[in-house]
Amino acid sequence: MSDIVNAAVTALTEKLGGDNFDGSAKFVIEGEGAIVIDAEGVRASDDETDVTMTADAETFQSILEGETNPTAAFMSGKLAVDGDMGQAMKLGGVLS
């Protein structure tokens, strides 16, 4: 597992602030690995989820830092979404 994935797990855990995420989502960071967010929390994993979002490390970092809006990243083609768009929107609200 890469340092980028480890840092992302920590950052996402802090953003959720102990709240559970109702549903399941996976972030795939190209060339680094995957992170799953679900009712159990945030962890490095490649488990099946309701929605999978894929971005490069730079885009993902920018979203985490609040510099890039997840919806804008999707609309510009920097973030790919596969699966339940409702779950993606819900997670986007948590990250904003």
Side-chain angles (χ1 to χ4, degrees):
M1 183 171 24
S2 77
D3 291 341
I4 290 173
V5 169
N6 288 331
V9 167
T10 301
L12 286 167
T13 300
E14 289 173 8
K15 278 203 174 267
L16 287 175
D19 293 336
N20 287 335
F21 182 70
D22 183 29
S24 62
K26 176 170 40 179
F27 279 109
V28 175
I29 304 171
E30 295 171 342
E32 300 294 337
I35 301 157
V36 168
I37 302 169
D38 60 17
E40 296 176 21
V42 182
R43 66 189 178 283
S45 173
D46 198 21
D47 293 343
E48 287 294 316
T49 57
D50 297 330
V51 63
T52 300
M53 292 163 281
T54 305
D56 61 27
E58 183 179 323
T59 299
F60 185 76
Q61 186 69 32
S62 182
I63 290 170
L64 279 182
E65 291 174 354
E67 296 171 2
T68 299
N69 178 291
T71 303
F74 172 72
M75 298 300 247
S76 67
K78 293 181 179 181
L79 177 67
V81 177
D82 183 32
D84 186 340
M85 188 60 79
Q87 290 291 331
M89 301 282 286
K90 190 177 350 180
L91 186 58
V94 170
L95 296 178
S96 297

